[in-house]
Each structure stands twice: as C-alpha cells, then as structure tokens.
Amino acid sequence: MAIKTSDLNARLFAKADKRRATTTQEAQKAASEKAAVIELAVAGEHTVEFELIKVPAADIAEKTTVFDKNAREQSFLNELALSDILTTLKDRGQQYPAVGRWLDDGRIEVLDGSRRRMSCLIAEQDFLVYVAKGISTRHAKFLSDVANAHKPLSLYERGKEMQAMLDSGEVADQKALATVCQCSEALVSGALKAAALPLPLLQAYPSVAELGRPTIVKLHRLFFGLDDSQQQALLDKLGNTPLWQQVDAQGVTRITREVTLHIEQFKDELVAPKAKQKEQSTTLVEGRAAYRRKGSSLSINLKKIDDQQAERILALIKEQLDNA
C-alpha cells in the first residue's frame, strides 16, 4: 500500500536528537535540520542509531552503492527522470538525507535515497546519508520498500516485483496479484508486459516512470511480434547512446512520442513486406466442381452433390488431413 511522503518521513525520523517527534511536522523539521545522530525504530522492532555522513561529490560513485534488492531500476535514473529534484538540489543542495547501512568493506549501501544519490552524482553535489551498523537484509528491504513512496515506481519496476511474486508462488495468478497489490487487473497485465520488455528498449526513453500502459502495450506487441533475429536487430539499432538523447524535441512528453515513432520506424525497416500470394482458380468438372488455391489454403466448390457423395467426399478429406 502506498505511503504518503509525509507519513514516510514521520516513520523514518520518529526520533531526532533523542527528542520524540510526535507530529509529521516535527519529523520533517528534524530531517531538514540534519541532526548529527538520529534514532530509528526499524520495522517497529528495535531502535538503531544512525549517524549523518557527508560523502564528497567526487567519492559518491566509489564509496556508496545501492541496495541490490531496491525495486527501483538504477539505469533509468537520468537528468530528465530526476528533473523533479535536480533543480532544487543544484540550487540549494540536498534537502533530506538518504538512509543507508555500513558494508563490511567500508562502503555505504543506500537503502532509501537512490534518486538523491544519482542526482548528487549528476549535479556534482555532496551526498548526505544517515548510516547505521547492524542492519539485517530483512530490515534493509523494509527501509528500501517504504522509501519508494517518495516517487512511484514505474510499470516496469512494479511488474518485476509482481513477476517475482508469481515465480515464487506467493500468488497464483494475475487476479490474486491485483488483490494483493490493491490495483486493477488491467494494471497488473500492463506491469507484467512492461517487465517482459528488455532493458535496452526501455532505456531508449527519457523517463520510464512516465510510460503509461498504452505505450507499454504497444511496445510489447511491437517487440514480441518480431522473431528472435529481428528482436536482436532492433536492439542493435538502438545503439549505445540512449535514443532519447538523439531526438530533436523538448520536454519529456514530446521526446517520449518521438522515441516511440523512431522505434516503430526501426521495426518497419526490419520487417520486409510479404509478397502478395496469387490466387489460382481451376475448374475440375464443368458446372460441377472447381477449386481455389491461395498459399496453403484450398477452397473447393461442388454442385449437384447428393448426400452419399457428400459423405464419401468429406470422409476422404478427413482421412487425408488426419494422416497428414
């Protein structure tokens, strides 16, 4: 179930500087003040002390990583996909610290804040993160899942989670998924179609989170309407430079439309038009029997046929087809 950002902040920062935050406003204020140490009750089970760490912009890539069970696909995070926070971050720096845990090798694993981490990398800003020791994988997953309320997951990311639930046997079918995920079966179908698409195809878009179900269904039909060699050829045509960076358009919506048109054009170039099959019409017995042949189809036209003749002819046809 989705959690409002305000509720999320209250849950993550329930205590600040040993002072109990009793309202959402107090919790938000504690986070924005960037207290040096906070106490967080993880999953309501035990309290862990988090220390505020500032990672220099030049060290972010080397000294931090993202939790590998984070549902958010990191390769989708680019300038346009992060535009909602990049402007503020460039002007005023990071407003809310991320949350992470220490790894044995001394690096910081980010549990909540992968979008903020990438934004700091792009904007070359220092990265602020609350870090703790002794966070189990189960509790790390809890923090990561709760944190995804900051920005809704894309259909692809939701579909990956849904497919994992199906594969594990946690749910039996799409109807059960809709019930568990509290959404429509149509959304489940769209999400699973998105999850089936190859990453390079989706990475052609400026912001995968903005791709709606109609576009996903169109891409799914287009891609899986190709044979294996054509699919690979289409992915090869996309190249190494994201297609969204190559189109002449402004704004996520217009760029998205242009990318789709380019992909459709690539597909049309790969699929050679089928030669029109000629239809052959032949008379067997004048006024009694004729047939038409087109490709692998055969139509027979018989006239003045009694019941016995019809039975024998139909039996012969059935025998021939059954033995084919």
Side-chain angles (χ1 to χ4, degrees):
M1 182 174 63
I3 300 175
K4 293 180 180 178
T5 301
S6 57
D7 295 334
L8 173 69
N9 288 331
R11 182 178 296 188
L12 288 179
F13 306 109
K15 291 184 179 181
D17 290 334
K18 311 294 183 180
R19 292 180 288 108
R20 181 71 179 177
T22 58
T23 67
T24 300
Q25 289 73 22
E26 289 177 5
Q28 291 175 325
K29 187 172 185 293
S32 63
E33 288 176 350
K34 304 178 182 65
V37 177
I38 64 171
E39 290 182 349
L40 169 62
V42 181
E45 294 182 7
H46 66 279
T47 300
V48 179
E49 192 172 272
F50 286 77
E51 178 187 4
L52 183 62
I53 300 294
K54 178 187 287 188
V55 181
D59 296 335
I60 297 174
E62 180 182 352
K63 295 187 176 180
T64 70
T65 185
V66 177
F67 184 45
D68 60 5
K69 291 183 174 57
N70 189 315
R72 202 174 297 284
E73 174 56 49
Q74 298 302 299
S75 66
F76 294 161
L77 302 182
N78 56 56
E79 300 96 304
L80 289 182
L82 297 167
S83 59
D84 58 317
I85 60 176
L86 262 177
T87 301
T88 302
L89 191 142
K90 288 177 179 178
D91 291 342
R92 293 184 287 171
Q94 185 181 344
Q95 297 302 296
Y96 289 91
V99 174
R101 64 175 178 174
W102 289 109
L103 296 177
D104 292 340
D105 60 7
R107 291 183 301 158
I108 297 171
E109 186 175 57
V110 178
L111 308 176
D112 160 28
S114 66
R115 298 182 80 244
R116 280 164 280 173
R117 173 183 178 273
M118 183 58 71
S119 295
C120 286
L121 272 169
I122 293 172
E124 299 181 348
Q125 295 274 359
D126 295 342
F127 179 48
L128 301 175
V129 53
Y130 281 115
V131 194
K133 296 179 180 179
I135 301 292
S136 68
T137 299
R138 183 170 67 86
H139 285 158
K141 185 72 168 69
F142 167 81
L143 289 171
S144 178
D145 289 345
V146 170
N148 282 329
H150 283 303
K151 176 77 173 178
L153 296 175
S154 67
L155 275 177
Y156 173 86
E157 292 158 340
R158 295 188 68 178
K160 281 294 186 183
E161 290 190 322
M162 292 176 181
Q163 189 61 58
M165 294 170 70
L166 286 171
D167 294 342
S168 68
E170 185 178 343
V171 294
D173 51 31
Q174 292 190 23
K175 185 174 182 179
L177 268 175
T179 300
V180 172
C181 298
Q182 298 182 6
C183 62
S184 68
E185 289 186 52
L187 191 148
V188 170
S189 176
L192 292 176
K193 280 184 170 64
L197 293 171
L199 272 177
L201 184 62
L202 293 171
Q203 288 164 348
Y205 286 89
S207 179
V208 178
E210 304 300 324
L211 292 183
R213 197 157 50 86
T215 301
I216 289 296
V217 171
K218 178 186 291 186
L219 288 175
H220 189 274
R221 185 185 302 115
L222 180 154
F223 187 76
F224 290 102
L226 302 173
D227 61 32
D228 291 347
S229 61
Q230 291 169 335
Q231 289 177 356
Q232 186 57 53
L234 174 62
L235 297 180
D236 291 341
K237 275 182 170 290
L238 294 176
N240 296 322
T241 302
L243 188 55
W244 67 268
Q245 294 182 356
Q246 305 175 47
V247 300
D248 185 17
Q250 298 293 324
V252 172
T253 301
R254 290 186 177 180
I255 295 175
T256 296
R257 187 183 303 120
E258 287 297 316
V259 168
T260 300
L261 290 174
H262 277 68
I263 292 174
E264 289 176 325
Q265 182 179 342
F266 291 161
K267 176 256 186 183
D268 290 340
E269 293 171 358
L270 291 170
V271 180
K274 294 183 179 178
K276 189 174 182 180
Q277 296 175 327
K278 295 182 179 180
E279 183 176 300
Q280 178 185 358
S281 182
T282 304
T283 298
L284 288 176
V285 179
E286 189 67 38
R288 294 287 306 277
Y291 70 88
R292 291 195 306 274
R293 176 79 171 174
K294 185 177 181 180
S296 60
S297 299
L298 176 66
S299 300
I300 302 175
N301 185 18
L302 303 176
K303 297 180 180 179
K304 301 176 184 178
I305 302 296
D306 60 30
D307 290 344
Q308 289 184 345
Q309 290 174 317
E311 288 180 6
R312 289 198 297 271
I313 293 170
L314 293 174
L316 177 62
I317 293 174
K318 185 176 187 303
E319 179 184 355
Q320 291 298 315
L321 294 179
D322 285 344
N323 295 331

